[in-house]
Amino acid sequence: MSQSKATAAHFTYVDEVDATNLSSCATRSRASAAEKGVHLTYMPFIIQATVAALKKFPMLNATLDDEKQEIVVKNYWHVGFACDTDQGLVVPVIKDADRRTLLNLGAAVQDLSRARASRSSRSTR
């Protein structure tokens, strides 16, 4: 993250959306997810929407190869999400998010969040 902060352009964008349908869908899905041991938050829905947007606008899923001075468009969709832990912010990554179901994304978010928080607390003991 430090390298990204030092080398990447940064911007903030704020918009409003009507999330009524998302809220209804999440509410309807939570009970069946819970039966499978998954606490379904909004994050898996956001990850699916992010992947769809990246596929529609592939230049947003690209990096700059400094050595070759060329833009490299990625053909895979790994998505990181921020987790607040007692030791600070960590960003676990869900690899191949485009190949995962909503329930699988929910389980991955749950598992990675717990694992990162656990590792962070162990590293300071």
Side-chain angles (χ1 to χ4, degrees), residues 17-122:
V17 297
D18 179 355
T20 304
N21 291 339
L22 169 60
S23 180
S24 297
C25 182
T27 300
R28 287 191 312 271
S29 302
R30 283 192 179 117
S32 63
E35 289 174 6
K36 295 174 177 83
V38 176
H39 174 69
L40 192 59
T41 64
Y42 288 117
M43 187 60 70
F45 294 92
I46 293 167
I47 291 170
Q48 278 192 337
T50 299
V51 169
L54 291 172
K55 285 186 171 190
K56 186 172 181 177
F57 301 100
M59 291 299 285
L60 294 174
N61 193 37
T63 58
L64 176 63
D65 183 329
D66 287 324
E67 189 175 300
K68 295 180 183 176
Q69 287 296 297
E70 66 184 23
I71 295 172
V72 179
V73 178
K74 306 295 182 180
N75 61 356
Y76 51 86
W77 294 267
H78 301 336
V79 178
F81 61 98
C83 290
D84 184 21
T85 70
D86 291 341
Q87 280 62 50
L89 185 68
V90 293
V91 183
V93 176
I94 298 177
K95 294 188 176 184
D96 301 314
D98 62 311
R99 297 181 187 171
R100 296 173 180 253
T101 65
L102 187 67
L103 189 61
N104 184 270
L105 285 171
V109 166
Q110 183 175 297
D111 294 345
L112 288 170
S113 296
R114 285 181 185 154
R116 291 294 179 178
S118 174
R119 279 189 215 138
S120 293
S121 64
R122 280 197 311 257

